[in-house]
Amino acid sequence: MRVPDLVLEATAVSKAFAGVKALRSVSFELRAGEVHALIGENGAGKSTLIKILTGAVQPDAGTIRVRGAVVPHMDPRLAKALGIAAIYQQPSLFPDLTVAENIALALESGGAWRRVEWKVRSRRAAELLQRAGATIDPERLVSTLSMPEQQLVEIAKAIGAEARIAIMDEPTASLTEREVGSLFQVIARLRSEGVGVIYISHRLEEIATIADRVTVLRDGESVATKRMEEVDRAELIRMMVGRELGSLFPKREISAGEISLELRDVSSSAAGVKNVSLQVRKGEILGIAGLVGSGRTELAETIFGLTPSDSGEIRVGGERVTITSPRNAIQRGIGYVPEDRPRHGVILGMSIAANTSLANLNKVAHHGLIDRAEERALAEGFQRQLRIKTPSVAMEAGLLSGGNQQKVALARWLAIDPQVLILDEPTQGVDVGSKAEIHALMADLAERGLAIIMISSELPELLGMSDRIAVMHAGGIAGTLNRRDATQQRILSLALGHVA
């Protein structure tokens, strides 16, 4: 059987940032019609390697070949011309343009003074979205799209570019099970057309389903490249973390205390939240399940005062409260770690220390001036507690890996000593080692009496970490399941609007 040609090859690639080695003589290859998975913990070097392959970063050493030809100086324009398309975990779309306009910007050429065939543009966008498995109106503004919808637009752009090398960085991080199935059909079609796919994901069950080969990076080095049938999940985890991993879902039995947060028929017309009633007690983890568009994130934003309720009651610690802004929520001891890290979770241009203190400046300020030593000490405490990988808390948050950025976002809200903590997709885009650490931290916080609301698209996470699971459909609560009664089938049935 003839082995498919190599379409991309990186040999002995090295890169350092400010003296810190991000990659050490890493080699990687991709064949035509192959799905080659690239996995590793956050900070292992995956993002740096992808940036080098797409020309966003220049390597310090090593060689890049595309279809056998050496590329001495890769840059983004050349990468595009060579048929390399990247779909990043955080979409790079223009929020004030329509979906069709965003796709056109990526695919159309020509000068500024040319006639635009608007109907043709919209029709082409609709066709590409359909091929990507998306049911999105091409005339919608990107600012109105959810994160999963934005990712599907990025996939449509790559399909339209007729890429021969497609790089997918956590493409399913925010997708539902149904959308993941549609994406896998798209990948199968690309593979049959001879497109080589580099697939980056922390979801090892997906890797086993979709990949032909897998390369593991650890601490900036290539650990191994294996055919998928040669390895199992346990071996992949050992190679990724260099150690045996404890329980991924370290849920502990904790006696729930008094009600910390209660919603009584809460609605928000602006958010599309309808007559939601729920309770979460001290020491309890309440999971929120539902399909994309069901209102999970919108409910969190209503509780936190971003889109205030216009009817119903919110009670904190048994007291009826009015929450019309995040300031009100913070004053009532409610913290919120949002889904969209770069836009709302952390300020990328600020230091880790500044991000950590941002929600509770009174803790580190005296007479209106921030005490930088106290701010640093606060951040260093959370750095140790959350195992944030950084040489210094003075480092900009934007230089951290995605998983470490998530930990900084979590540190900010833990710094307010919350009574209630809302976590929207807390382990999205996080490696298995960090995921286990975050789950263990959640268990610790619950044991200390914190009430936690966890929104997640991962059913195993919901089932593994929640005491109860409230399932949303069309902006309301379709049903609530106790831990012992919850199954994937029952959750999906309620999410689809079926009576349990």
Side-chain angles (χ1 to χ4, degrees):
M1 181 178 176
R2 180 177 174 273
V3 177
D5 294 334
L6 289 175
V7 291
L8 179 67
E9 188 176 6
T11 306
V13 171
S14 296
K15 181 65 182 179
F17 296 98
V20 178
K21 281 280 188 182
L23 293 177
R24 298 180 181 87
S25 195
V26 168
S27 295
F28 181 88
E29 63 180 31
L30 178 69
R31 298 186 180 279
E34 173 189 43
V35 177
H36 192 151
L38 180 63
I39 66 173
E41 289 194 279
N42 289 314
K46 305 184 301 297
S47 295
T48 301
L49 178 59
I50 294 309
K51 288 174 181 176
I52 288 171
L53 295 178
T54 56
V57 168
Q58 295 301 311
D60 298 331
T63 305
I64 306 294
R65 290 182 175 85
V66 177
R67 287 182 286 278
V70 174
V71 183
H73 299 289
M74 183 72 82
D75 61 57
R77 180 173 292 186
L78 178 57
K80 183 178 179 180
L82 291 171
I84 301 173
I87 302 156
Y88 293 108
Q89 180 181 346
Q90 303 297 336
S92 55
L93 302 172
F94 294 94
D96 296 324
L97 297 180
T98 67
V99 171
E101 287 168 337
N102 269 275
I103 292 174
L105 274 174
L107 305 182
E108 293 181 7
S109 58
W113 302 105
R114 71 185 195 280
R115 183 174 180 178
V116 175
E117 298 288 349
W118 295 99
K119 290 184 179 180
V120 173
R121 174 181 282 184
S122 183
R123 189 161 55 246
R124 187 186 188 201
E127 291 169 356
L128 292 174
L129 290 165
Q130 184 178 21
R131 287 178 64 188
T135 55
I136 301 171
D137 183 351
E139 300 308 316
R140 275 181 67 184
L141 285 176
V142 164
S143 60
T144 69
L145 301 182
S146 65
M147 281 289 288
E149 289 171 329
Q150 290 182 46
Q151 285 185 318
L152 292 170
V153 173
E154 289 284 14
I155 292 167
K157 282 165 55 178
I159 293 172
E162 298 182 353
R164 306 312 299 164
I165 299 164
I167 301 170
M168 297 187 175
D169 185 4
E170 296 288 351
T172 64
S174 299
L175 304 187
T176 64
E177 195 169 326
R178 182 183 301 173
E179 289 165 336
V180 170
S182 297
L183 173 63
F184 283 1
Q185 291 177 9
V186 171
I187 293 173
R189 185 160 57 245
L190 293 174
R191 177 195 267 152
S192 69
E193 295 169 357
V195 176
V197 178
I198 300 175
Y199 192 91
I200 303 169
S201 179
H202 293 305
R203 298 182 176 181
L204 299 185
E205 65 277 6
E206 291 180 1
I207 299 295
T209 300
I210 198 69
D212 301 296
R213 288 191 294 166
V214 58
T215 290
V216 180
L217 298 185
R218 186 174 74 235
D219 297 329
E221 297 180 348
S222 309
V223 175
T225 296
K226 302 272 191 179
R227 291 200 60 79
M228 280 310 305
E229 60 264 27
E230 298 173 352
V231 291
D232 59 17
R233 177 188 174 89
E235 185 178 355
L236 287 175
I237 291 173
R238 280 196 298 273
M239 288 192 290
M240 285 172 63
V241 303
R243 63 187 188 278
E244 294 290 339
L245 192 67
S247 172
L248 185 57
F249 303 115
K251 187 72 179 79
R252 302 166 201 157
E253 291 299 326
I254 299 168
S255 297
E258 298 173 352
I259 297 171
S260 283
L261 176 71
E262 182 177 11
L263 274 58
R264 298 181 181 178
D265 290 321
V266 168
S267 296
S268 169
S269 55
V273 173
K274 303 170 185 174
N275 303 316
V276 169
S277 295
L278 59 79
Q279 298 176 345
V280 58
R281 295 177 177 272
K282 291 181 179 181
E284 182 181 36
I285 298 176
L286 174 67
I288 304 289
L291 303 178
V292 172
S294 63
R296 297 170 303 169
T297 294
E298 290 78 4
L299 175 60
E301 291 175 347
T302 296
I303 296 170
F304 195 62
L306 288 165
T307 48
S309 62
D310 40 37
S311 65
E313 292 183 21
I314 298 177
R315 292 179 175 267
V316 178
E319 179 185 351
R320 183 172 180 175
V321 298
T322 300
I323 299 177
T324 59
S325 69
R327 178 190 291 270
N328 296 152
I330 293 168
Q331 290 170 341
R332 295 294 180 178
I334 300 174
Y336 173 41
V337 181
E339 174 187 18
D340 192 342
R341 266 196 313 269
R343 290 177 63 193
H344 305 130
V346 293
I347 299 177
L348 301 180
M350 289 176 62
S351 69
I352 296 166
N355 269 282
T356 301
S357 66
L358 196 57
N360 193 5
L361 289 174
N362 290 336
K363 200 167 191 172
V364 296
H366 304 284
H367 308 295
L369 297 175
I370 295 174
D371 186 322
R372 296 301 177 187
E374 287 192 21
E375 183 181 66
R376 184 172 61 253
L378 177 71
E380 287 174 347
F382 283 113
Q383 179 193 359
R384 291 188 294 271
Q385 181 182 352
L386 305 182
R387 300 184 186 179
I388 300 170
K389 293 181 181 178
T390 178
S392 168
V393 294
M395 183 176 174
E396 285 188 6
L399 299 177
L400 297 174
S401 65
N404 284 302
Q405 287 179 17
Q406 182 75 327
K407 291 179 182 180
V408 172
L410 185 58
R412 175 191 296 174
W413 294 109
L414 291 178
I416 74 168
D417 298 320
Q419 295 183 54
V420 179
L421 184 61
I422 306 170
L423 304 175
D424 194 349
E425 303 289 359
T427 62
Q428 177 178 292
V430 170
D431 61 73
V432 289
S434 296
K435 182 173 289 192
E437 290 174 1
I438 290 173
H439 288 157
L441 176 63
M442 289 170 60
D444 288 342
L445 294 171
E447 199 165 42
R448 282 188 249 157
L450 189 64
I452 297 174
I453 296 175
M454 178 185 68
I455 301 168
S456 179
S457 299
E458 295 190 32
L459 292 181
E461 181 171 63
L462 286 164
L463 293 166
M465 291 303 299
S466 304
D467 295 293
R468 292 181 299 126
I469 300 172
V471 186
M472 295 196 69
H473 172 76
I477 302 292
T480 301
L481 302 171
N482 290 320
R483 179 179 176 85
R484 64 179 178 275
D485 299 325
T487 64
Q488 292 197 21
Q489 292 76 14
R490 294 191 72 182
I491 292 171
L492 286 172
S493 180
L494 287 168
L496 291 168
H498 302 154
V499 178

